[in-house]
Amino acid sequence: MNLLKINHLQKVFNENQPNQVEALKDISLNVEKGDFIAIMGESGAGKSTLLNIIATLEKATSGQIVLNGTDLMTLKEKKRAQFRREHLGFIFQQFNLLDTLTNKDNIFLPLVLSKVKYSEMEKRITPIAQQLGITKLLDRYPYEISGGQKQRIALARAIAAQAPVLVLDDTTSAVDMETESKIRRHLHQLPFDCTKVIIAQRISSV
């Protein structure tokens, strides 16, 4: 079953201007439910642009992208936000954590927006925090922890949402090799069905 289908996707920045940049050209891809897909390439190759389009944060210039039967090119902004919460868990290099919230509340935020009960949120976070080694960080704030620790908080947030598709943008770039190994094992032992799309520069991450 095709969970994600991309047909002839193109993304042009500054379209119809002298300084236009073609970030994606004629990209086609089929992802089956349960697949673990890796996208690799040098810096500036368009990997993060593709991720942003899959995550509905950017719109393609042309082509088609269908996720779980929904054509993302047709969604309005409000519908795109709802679709992200229900279908996607993603971790970006910039973490996107809010310094005004504790790390625990940052993890809970997508669940609160999806109206998940607090008891269920607590049930989900305990094993994830233990396996990622962040239990002692939950009551602290993002500005109080290191980049590698922030990356694990962002990963926990995406996993806790239990989205059908987990998208990871160079997720282990800021952690040491031992932590990277733990993260890889955790991704292979998720307690729910999940299709994973990972963007990476290091072959070890794949």
Side-chain angles (χ1 to χ4, degrees), residues 18 46 55 59 64 81 121 169:
K59 293 194 73 172
Q64 184 186 45
M121 292 192 288
D169 185 8

Side-chain angles (χ1 to χ4, degrees), residues 28-41:
S28 294
L29 176 70
N30 289 331
V31 179
E32 303 289 328
K33 184 178 180 180
D35 277 352
F36 198 135
I37 300 296
I39 300 172
M40 297 190 67

